[in-house]
């Protein structure tokens, strides 16, 4: 890693793409750090470089929307080779590039943090705002790395020379403690979402909501520090009490807004911004809606690769009157004949044939469409998630759900049924008097229904300590109930989730340059 990071340090310097709401600036190449970081424009450009890795193809542009987050909500149709088939080892390109993308983000953050105090002519409040975002993003990249790889090198300063010795892995507990320290410091430095009017920058409630996620993770596997449930409840409640966020009354509109690049800062606390279709000078598009979208073979309608398919477990988790079901799991596909495609409904028993329906390319506004690239934004934190985290943590803290926990989950469910979230509803509201375990089981199911295809299900299953068990059960379910034309690849994908698959292997690109790090167990 040291050689790679030294190269990054010298070249960063700065090779970034501007994002319309993060930064509007001209990318600059080959600028020495000695002569940089002096003006607000230079600090903002450096900050854009830190944000930039969120949109990498092996991070949220594609990988973390599907093939890096295998779970019980989807399978990859008829995929029998490579990472699309959940075949992974230390040499897998996507895993190596994922690791490198996250550490590139960390190195860029470290360079900015190392040099930000040089900008003495920049107002202190502006420097603090930029510093807070850089601190948070560095911590978030470490959160992803630790969640996915376990103990990794914790590097908190930029690389100055290739002779620096490579770092050993830092214990997971120590990395999480540093994540919390940096995020708490960021909480006091960043601005409110109301200061921006868009949600692709880090804001105070974003920090608070992600801290709730971090604390819930610390409370579960592998640390199992149950005292952290109280912290998770506290930070989720900070978001709730801010009054800045609420549920969009129309579930499907959340995703139409993503497709149309419309910022709904009440529902969506934080998004990765993609822009355009990569057919102009600025290349900022992603693959949301194409790689993981509804089956379609016509570009003009909105090309969708026939990869990501819903499981019967996901589809059957919804009641028939739950409006989230037929938006999340598309009830139709486009049947292509020559240069035409006809929207055609699936038969009632064709559950496993159905695609992820959340991000529908028919709503794209920018034409002409590109086969692979879309400007659809990716949600990193929604208010519904905050409410469900609050309910989960409240249940654990109090030995069972309180009135507040019921209120939080019922708001999410009422919206799902198309009801007013503030008015009790016999159809949507859950039964009262549940035990602590029964309420936890309900939360697990509700997170599946609400957050399907948003890259969080694997993370949830891992922190609950049930990932291999659930996926082996999926393999058995596929064997019994999946159509014969689909089952063999899907069974193999699920069966590959054994105990070792809770963590990815440490990539060969790291092992080759770092003799002080060991491979994860089983790899």
């Amino acid at each position: 890693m040291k050689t790679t990071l030294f190269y990054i340090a010298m070249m960063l310097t700065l090779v970034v793409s501007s994002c319309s709401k993060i930064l509007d600036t001209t990318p600059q190449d080959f600028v020495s750090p000695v002569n940089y970081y002096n003006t607000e424009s230079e600090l903002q450009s450096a900050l854009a470089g830190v944000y930039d890795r969120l949109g990498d193809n092996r991070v949220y542009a594609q990988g973390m929307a599907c093939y890096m987050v295998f779970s019980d909500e989807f399978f990859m149709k008829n995929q029998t080779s490579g990472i699309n088939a959940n075949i992974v080892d230390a040499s897998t390109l996507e895993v190596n590039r994922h690791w490198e993308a996250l550490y590139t983000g960390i190195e860029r953050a470290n360079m900015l943090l190392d040099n930000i105090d040089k900008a003495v002519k920049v107002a202190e409040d502006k420097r603090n705002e930029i510093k807070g975002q850089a601190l948070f993003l560095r911590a978030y990249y470490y959160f992803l790395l630790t969640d996915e790889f376990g103990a990794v090198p914790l590097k908190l300063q930029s690389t100055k020379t290739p002779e620096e010795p490579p770092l050993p892995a830092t214990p997971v507990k120590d990395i999480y403690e540093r994540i919390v320290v940096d995020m708490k410091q960021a909480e006091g430095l960043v601005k409110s979402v109301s200061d921006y009017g868009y949600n692709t920058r880090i804001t105070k409630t974003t920090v608070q909501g992600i801290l709730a996620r971090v604390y819930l993770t610390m409370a579960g596997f592998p640390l199992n520090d149950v005292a952290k449930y109280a912290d998770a409840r506290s930070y989720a409640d900070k978001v709730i009490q801010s009054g800045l966020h609420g549920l969009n009354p129309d579930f499907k509109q959340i995703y139409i807004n993503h497709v149309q690049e419309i910022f709904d800062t009440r529902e969506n606390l934080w998004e990765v911004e993609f822009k355009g279709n990569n057919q102009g000078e600025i290349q900022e598009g992603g693959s949301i809606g194409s790689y993981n979208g509804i089956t379609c073979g016509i570009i003009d309608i909105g090309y969708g690769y026939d990869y990501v398919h819903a499981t019967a477990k996901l589809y059957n988790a919804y009641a028939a009157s739950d409006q989230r079901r037929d938006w999340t799991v598309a009830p139709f596909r486009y049947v292509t004949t020559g240069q035409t495609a006809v929207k055609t409904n699936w038969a009632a028993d064709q559950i496993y044939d159905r695609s992820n329906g959340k991000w529908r390319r028919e709503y794209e506004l920018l034409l002409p469409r590109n086969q692979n690239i879309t400007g659809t934004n990716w949600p990193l934190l929604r208010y519904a998630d905050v409410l469900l985290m609050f309910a989960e943590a409240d249940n654990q803290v109090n030995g069972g759900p309180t009135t507040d926990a019921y209120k939080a989950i019922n708001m999410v469910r009422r919206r799902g049924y198309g009801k007013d979230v503030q008015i009790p509803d016999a159809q949507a509201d859950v039964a009262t008097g549940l035990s602590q375990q029964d309420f936890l089981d309900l939360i697990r199911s509700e997170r599946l229904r609400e957050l399907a295809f948003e890259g969080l299900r694997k993370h949830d299953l891992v922190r609950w300590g049930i990932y291999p068990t659930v996926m082996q059960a999926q393999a058995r379910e596929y064997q019994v109930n999946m159509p014969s034309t689909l089952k063999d690849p899907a069974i193999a994908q699920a069966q590959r989730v054994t105990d070792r698959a809770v963590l990815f292997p440490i990539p060969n690109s790291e092992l080759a340059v770092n003799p002080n790090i060991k491979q994860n167990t089983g790899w």
Side-chain angles (χ1 to χ4, degrees):
M1 183 173 69
K2 63 178 181 178
T3 304
T4 301
L5 291 184
F6 180 73
Y7 176 79
I8 293 167
M10 293 300 97
M11 300 294 289
L12 183 83
T13 1
L14 268 166
V15 185
V16 300
S17 297
S18 68
C19 288
S20 60
K21 292 298 183 290
I22 295 170
L23 183 66
D24 287 313
T25 189
T26 303
Q28 301 184 52
D29 299 343
F30 309 110
V31 182
S32 170
V34 175
N35 300 316
Y36 207 69
Y37 306 101
N38 295 309
T39 67
E40 181 179 341
S41 176
E42 290 172 347
L43 295 182
Q44 294 284 11
S45 183
L47 180 62
V50 184
Y51 275 99
D52 178 69
R53 294 300 80 200
L54 293 169
D56 186 272
N57 210 43
R58 272 77 178 207
V59 188
Y60 290 113
Q62 185 181 99
M64 294 187 73
C66 45
Y67 54 71
M68 299 196 74
V69 289
F70 271 93
S71 76
D72 56 345
E73 66 193 355
F74 75 92
F75 65 99
M76 299 289 275
K77 179 185 174 184
N78 292 336
Q79 297 298 297
T80 59
S81 63
I83 198 166
N84 270 358
N86 203 20
I87 298 173
V88 172
D89 61 30
S91 66
T92 300
L93 175 66
E94 290 81 4
V95 174
N96 280 256
R97 293 286 175 82
H98 180 73
W99 171 284
E100 291 165 6
L102 297 179
Y103 267 110
T104 298
I106 288 166
E107 180 68 5
R108 291 176 177 181
N110 282 338
M111 290 186 68
L112 176 54
L113 292 168
D114 285 351
N115 290 280
I116 194 167
D117 289 336
K118 288 170 48 180
V120 293
K121 294 183 179 180
V122 179
E124 184 178 9
D125 63 336
K126 181 58 65 176
R127 276 187 285 133
N128 284 340
E129 177 190 349
I130 294 169
K131 180 179 180 180
Q133 293 174 74
L135 280 168
F136 175 87
L137 287 168
R138 181 178 71 180
Y140 186 75
Y141 289 139
Y142 274 122
F143 177 49
L144 295 181
L145 282 163
T146 307
D147 194 43
E148 296 163 349
F149 296 95
V152 299
L154 179 64
K155 192 170 185 295
L156 300 174
Q157 292 184 328
S158 61
T159 301
K160 308 301 189 301
T161 167
E163 282 71 43
E164 291 181 14
L167 297 174
T170 300
V172 169
K173 182 176 183 294
D174 294 345
I175 299 175
Y176 272 106
E177 288 176 353
R178 183 66 198 210
I179 289 169
V180 168
V181 166
D182 280 359
M183 287 191 177
K184 284 186 173 181
Q185 185 179 357
E187 181 188 9
L189 296 174
V190 298
K191 299 173 72 172
S192 167
V193 67
S194 59
D195 292 318
Y196 295 119
Y198 52 90
N199 51 20
T200 53
R201 277 189 181 266
I202 305 305
T203 64
K204 191 176 295 293
T205 46
T206 296
V207 176
Q208 293 163 349
I210 295 296
L211 267 169
R213 184 180 294 170
V214 168
Y215 278 126
L216 272 183
T217 306
M218 296 173 74
F221 180 87
L223 296 181
N224 297 309
D225 184 358
V226 296
K228 295 297 186 289
Y229 281 119
D231 296 303
R233 184 191 186 281
S234 174
Y235 272 89
D237 194 47
K238 282 187 177 185
V239 178
I240 295 168
Q241 297 305 320
S242 74
L244 293 171
H245 302 285
L247 296 174
N248 188 313
D250 186 350
F251 179 75
K252 69 178 183 297
Q253 192 62 43
I254 300 167
Y255 308 98
I256 294 173
N257 288 341
H258 292 157
V259 173
Q260 297 184 344
E261 303 177 59
I262 296 171
F263 295 101
D264 172 7
T265 62
R266 287 189 60 76
E267 172 79 35
N268 292 290
L269 281 72
W270 185 26
E271 298 176 8
V272 180
E273 184 181 9
F274 296 103
K275 190 73 175 176
N277 54 18
N278 283 13
Q279 297 185 50
E281 180 180 352
I282 302 299
Q283 308 289 297
E284 295 177 344
S287 301
I288 309 306
S290 62
Y291 203 88
N292 63 340
I294 297 172
T295 304
C296 179
I298 303 294
I299 295 174
D300 289 345
I301 293 175
Y303 199 95
Y305 288 91
D306 198 19
Y307 288 152
V308 178
H309 280 236
T311 62
K313 178 177 182 176
L314 172 61
Y315 183 86
N316 293 329
Y318 300 97
S321 53
D322 190 331
Q323 296 178 8
R324 294 173 295 185
R325 185 190 69 181
D326 289 340
W327 186 265
T328 301
V329 182
F332 64 89
R333 78 286 198 191
Y334 291 95
V335 176
T336 304
T337 303
Q339 296 303 308
T340 63
V342 178
K343 184 183 287 190
T344 306
N345 288 335
W346 293 109
D349 62 348
Q350 292 179 297
I351 304 303
Y352 281 109
D353 294 286
R354 304 184 187 210
S355 305
N356 168 12
K358 279 192 167 176
W359 297 280
R360 303 187 179 191
R361 298 198 64 184
E362 64 190 90
Y363 290 95
E364 290 177 8
L365 299 178
L366 181 62
L367 302 175
R369 294 181 174 91
N370 181 286
Q371 177 170 321
N372 299 312
I373 304 302
T374 75
T376 296
N377 288 357
W378 178 255
L380 290 173
L381 180 64
R382 292 199 288 113
Y383 188 62
D385 187 6
V386 173
L387 290 172
L388 294 175
M389 288 192 291
F390 174 86
E392 180 180 350
D394 182 87
N395 178 56
Q396 297 301 112
V397 167
N398 293 294
T402 67
T403 301
D404 289 336
Y406 279 111
K407 178 181 178 182
I409 193 172
N410 282 335
M411 288 176 67
V412 175
R413 287 179 57 82
R414 290 168 193 162
R415 194 264 299 276
Y417 282 76
K419 309 294 185 178
D420 188 316
V421 301
Q422 300 297 339
I423 299 176
D425 183 83
Q427 184 181 42
D429 290 1
V430 301
T432 58
L434 295 177
S435 69
Q436 183 181 34
Q437 184 60 49
D438 286 344
F439 193 81
L440 176 58
D441 291 341
L442 175 64
I443 287 289
R444 290 173 174 176
S445 297
E446 199 59 42
R447 289 184 66 82
L448 172 65
R449 286 185 283 266
E450 177 68 24
L451 302 169
F453 300 126
E454 295 183 34
L456 291 172
R457 183 64 176 176
K458 175 185 174 182
H459 167 80
D460 283 342
L461 294 175
V462 169
R463 68 180 177 85
W464 290 326
I466 58 175
Y467 184 43
T469 302
V470 165
M471 293 305 291
Q472 293 304 313
Q474 277 299 110
R476 295 189 293 271
E477 198 279 331
Y478 296 154
Q479 180 66 55
V480 173
N481 294 315
M482 185 176 274
S484 59
T485 55
L486 299 174
K487 70 166 54 177
D488 288 346
I491 290 169
Q493 290 166 25
Q495 285 179 335
R496 293 186 180 108
V497 181
T498 58
D499 286 344
R500 76 169 188 171
V502 171
L503 297 176
F504 284 129
I506 302 298
N508 280 345
S509 59
E510 177 68 13
L511 296 172
V513 298
N514 188 349
N516 298 323
I517 196 168
K518 297 180 180 179
Q519 185 54 276
N520 284 327
T521 302
W523 295 103

